Every structure is written in structure tokens, then in C-alpha cells.
Amino acid sequence: MTTAPSSSDAKRQPKKGIPFAIEKSGKSAQSCRPMLAALNEQDELFVIEEKVNSNYEVSSLLSLVDDRAAVVMNNVDDLGIPVFGNLLSSRERIALALGVPVSDILSTLTNSVKKPVAPVLVDDAPVQQTVIKENIFSNLPVPTFFTKESGPYISAGLMVAKDPETGEGNASYARLKILGPETAMIGIAPNHHLAIMAQKAAARGEALELAVVLGAHPVIQLAACLYLGLGDDELHNAGALLGEPVRLAKAKTLNLDVPAEAEIILEGHIHVDQLIKEGPVSEYHGMYEDYGHGFLVTFSCMTCRDDAMLQVIEPGYHMEHSYIAGVPIAASLKANLSRVLQNVGEVAVTTTGSGRNNVVIQLHNPRPGQARRAISLCWGAVSIIKNVTVVDSDVDPWDLQQVELAKLNRMKSERDILIVEDMPGDRSEAQETNGLVTKVGYDATCKAGDRGQGYDRALPPEDVTERMRALLHSIRPDFKS
């Protein structure tokens, strides 16, 4: 273990190439490195050797590439710490991280809630190879993303904390605006579990201990985005997704356990009695919001790998930001709906709703009234959901062209559109007033008697289509249909 007392001592020479490519197992198995290596092999990774500035240039590169590839920038601000992003910017990438077909993503995530696996403690943690206790943020090329934001943000921070009353763990996401070498502002909604725990700590006269995790395995990141109850520890669900317990290490200055194979851990405390004015910040819908004040966070320590990389998620309306939220929300919704309705199929939280607002539910042979019941259940489960569409089992909820076709051909507007005013929303909803929004539900399922000729699609025989698909693939191996 080495200790770096200052930013000048901690500077490393910029790395060239792909230093993680050979690290596919062993002590990197629960980091982002195997995923980056796999994307590199699939030619879905851009490696940029040219010098990049953390002020807007990192953001511009990630925005331009977006869902086409992950990006590694080896020389950001001459700090010698590579920056990477766009890791989970498609459902195919999420499936790759989980090690399952795309069609099995939701069932895999929902099963993790049913069969959690407790973490284990280890002594030898790669993320604690280097320990820095002064000028912490001087060592990190934290990006400034957008023109109206008033500072740099850590956007991929997975927050690990404990309920001060029960001792139960929690993993979630929140944004951190850097204020100084060892201070930041955390932005969290009042109903966020982390905010509730911080208020509990304050009631006891304490600051809430917080570990900010950067670069853990993508599956651990997905688990932290599941919508669970307060007291449910997402790291247990991550173990189910990994097929093995998450390996944790005791933090250096906190009574918390942290993912041992992540890239970077920041150890600090949330002070809810010290408010910090944030200013405009980009939201998931791609526009700015001004939420007023956040809370002060003070940091006492940073631990990292000797060759650490900084993970970044491009905020706003960008694909990784949409999918890393939307897919876990879809899994949580499916689990909630399936407890009440036995015929729930796939559930999609679409990118047109920025992975938050717009939901499509598939029902198998829905009975009269079931579509409206499913719509109401969705609104009750997650307040940020605004529009809900229900479709039949022959419509792929993730295929918005199919969904729109079903709305046009299977729905009578005067009968099948449900508009409800003054519903509770979320403070980040662009159209909310006093916390309330109008929500819309669409029943785009087939109804008996609506069409004399039925709803069968006109298609060639399935066996012929399969033979011709194989023929096209033999001519063009990259052909997808």
C-alpha cells in the first residue's frame, strides 16, 4: 500500500493503449475491466490517446459517441488517470454485463430480488492499493459537463451507506458537485433512501457515513438502481446477479464495507445541517433544473487501485443515463405487477421517456379492465412514471414502432385513453407544479368486436422467413433482422 499526501505526488504519467485488456479474471472480476475488455474485443470501444480537458471536452466526446461505443480517454488533464464512460448505453451491453440474452434481462433482475446473496469480507482489496488523505479531488479529472452548470460533477458515484437506526445497508446513485479539494455537495431528492438515512443520522446528532464507489462491476451498478424498499440492501441483489457474493472490504476511515474490486472509493460524511446552493443542473430529460440546496459532504480519504480509472456517466438525455435507470425500473415494475397480475409479459421503460417517464406493459390475453388496472399499479409503484401504454403479447414493448402501430390500430381514443389530473409526480418531472402532474394511460390491446377481420398480421410463412434470414446472413454475416 502506498500513500500520496498531495496531488503533485499523486500524478501519474498518462497511460497508452488498453491496460485492462488482459485482466479478465482474478482480482478484476468484480470491476468494470472485464466489460471494457469484452467491448474492446467486439470493436465497441474507442480509446483516445490525445490530451482531453475535463472542462466540457470529456462531456462532448461521450455525447458524440453516445450509444455507439464505450470510450476510454487515457490523458485527461495530464493527471495520469484514464477516464471511461458509455459502458451501459444499450440493452445489448446490459445483457453482456449480466451474461444473459437480451430477452432474459428482466427475469434475471427480478430473480435477484427473490434470491439475494449476502456479500463476503476480504482482506486484500485492489481498491485500497493507494490511500490518499489530502487534496483528494486534486487527484481526479472530474468533468464539468454542461455550460450552465456551475462546477464539475461526479456522475457515476454509487453511494453506499447504512441506516443509522437499523444498521441495514443501502446502495444507490446521487450526484456530487465538487466544491473544494475535500468537499462536495450531494444532490438527493427528499424521498431518496439516502436522504432519509441522512436525516435519521442528523436526528441523532451525527453526520451520515458515506462511501462513493466508482468503477465497480456493471452488475453491481445495475443492482444499485433497483427500486427496493428501505432496508433492502442492493449489494445482496448484486451477488445474485454475479452468481457469487460481492467481495467487500472494510473502509479505511468509516464503519462501512465497500466493493473491494472497484476502481476508486471516496470516504466521507453527509451533513444535512449544512445546505449548499447548487444552481442549475442537468436532469435526465436533457434540460436544466434548479433544485435549490443540497447537502455538504466532507471527505476524509480516497482509496484506489494503483492504476485506477475514473468512471463517468454522461448525464442528461444520453443513452447510458437512460438505460442504467430504465432497465432496473422496468424489472422492479414487472416484479410489482406480477404480484397482482398473473399474465404480465415484458415491461419496457423507454428511452423516449429518458428511462423514467414512459412505460409500456405487455399483457398476455388481458381480460376486460386489466389494462387500466396495470396502468394504475404502475403509477402507484413509481411516482416519476407519467405515461403508461398496455399492449398485447404479440407487440414488443421495447419496439416503439410496434407500440405506436398498436395504439393507432387497436385503440379508440374516446374509450381507451385514461387521463388523470393532479397525480403525484417527481420534483425532476419537467411539467410538475407543486409536485403534481397529469398522467396518461393508453389501453392499446385488442378488444372483441373492434375489427370484423381480426388482428392477424399479414406475413409470409415463418419457416420460409427463417430460411431466407439464414440466406441473407450467409451473404452478409453482419445482417441483423
Side-chain angles (χ1 to χ4, degrees), residues 55-75:
N55 287 331
Y56 307 124
E57 291 185 356
V58 168
S59 176
S60 294
L61 284 167
L62 293 173
S63 177
L64 287 168
V65 177
D66 204 15
D67 61 339
R68 287 180 287 176
V71 180
V72 173
M73 292 155 272
N74 276 332
N75 185 6

Side-chain angles (χ1 to χ4, degrees), residues 446-461:
C446 299
K447 285 90 175 173
D450 276 2
R451 277 182 55 86
Q453 301 300 317
Y455 288 95
D456 294 340
R457 289 185 63 195
L459 296 169

Side-chain angles (χ1 to χ4, degrees), residues 191-477:
N191 61 342
H192 194 293
H193 290 170
L194 188 60
I196 293 170
M197 291 189 295
Q199 294 291 356
K200 285 184 178 183
R204 299 157 61 100
E206 303 168 356
L208 184 71
E209 293 187 325
L210 175 72
V212 182
V213 182
L214 295 159
H217 193 287
V219 160
I220 299 175
Q221 298 180 41
L222 287 167
C225 295
L226 291 168
Y227 269 58
L228 305 177
L230 183 62
D232 295 324
D233 191 338
E234 289 81 1
L235 293 181
H236 292 238
N237 305 110
L241 295 172
L242 286 166
E244 63 177 2
V246 176
R247 290 184 283 277
L248 302 178
K250 290 194 172 297
K252 292 296 182 182
T253 63
L254 308 173
N255 184 28
L256 291 175
D257 302 326
V258 297
E261 292 159 42
E263 295 292 319
I264 296 169
I265 304 288
L266 303 169
E267 301 183 11
H269 293 81
I270 301 177
H271 306 269
V272 298
D273 59 336
Q274 298 187 53
L275 300 181
I276 304 293
K277 175 70 175 175
E278 181 173 20
V281 62
S282 57
E283 255 301 353
Y284 66 91
H285 43 59
M287 296 170 282
Y288 295 101
E289 298 283 359
D290 189 344
Y291 293 124
H293 294 84
F295 304 132
L296 176 70
V297 186
T298 55
F299 290 94
S300 54
C301 180
M302 178 177 98
T303 71
C304 62
R305 291 169 174 264
D306 287 339
D307 58 348
M309 300 182 290
L310 174 65
Q311 184 180 9
V312 169
I313 294 174
E314 180 73 358
Y317 183 50
H318 294 92
M319 289 303 98
E320 183 170 26
H321 199 211
S322 292
Y323 277 113
I324 199 171
V327 171
I329 291 173
S332 299
L333 283 175
K334 181 171 181 176
N336 285 330
L337 288 165
S338 297
R339 294 188 189 103
V340 181
L341 304 173
Q342 305 306 309
N343 55 338
V344 178
E346 189 81 354
V347 177
V349 180
T350 72
T351 57
T352 56
S354 310
R356 277 89 168 164
N357 293 147
N358 189 54
V359 174
V360 185
I361 303 166
Q362 186 187 65
L363 291 181
H364 302 295
N365 300 316
R367 297 188 301 276
Q370 266 197 331
R372 288 197 174 211
R373 191 177 187 191
I375 290 166
S376 299
L377 287 168
C378 258
W379 286 337
V382 182
S383 63
I384 201 172
I385 293 171
K386 188 173 181 181
N387 293 349
V388 182
T389 304
V390 182
V391 296
D392 294 292
S393 57
D394 64 333
V395 177
D396 179 0
W398 292 99
D399 187 331
L400 295 182
Q401 186 171 351
Q402 289 188 35
V403 173
E404 287 302 309
L405 196 62
K407 289 167 74 173
L408 287 170
N409 294 325
R410 303 182 180 187
M411 193 174 72
K412 292 184 177 180
S413 298
E414 70 278 11
R415 178 191 66 191
D416 297 323
I417 298 178
L418 175 64
I419 300 175
V420 183
E421 298 179 0
D422 296 330
M423 291 281 283
D426 188 279
R427 69 174 189 160
S428 57
E429 157 59 42
Q431 297 296 328
E432 66 89 16
T433 302
N434 297 322
L436 301 175
V437 296
T438 296
K439 299 191 177 186
V440 184
Y442 302 92
D443 179 359
T445 59
C446 299
K447 285 90 175 173
D450 276 2
R451 277 182 55 86
Q453 301 300 317
Y455 288 95
D456 294 340
R457 289 185 63 195
L459 296 169
E462 188 174 340
D463 61 331
V464 176
T465 299
E466 287 302 314
R467 290 202 306 272
M468 295 306 99
R469 182 179 285 114
L471 173 63
L472 288 169
H473 185 72
S474 69
I475 298 169
R476 286 284 302 274

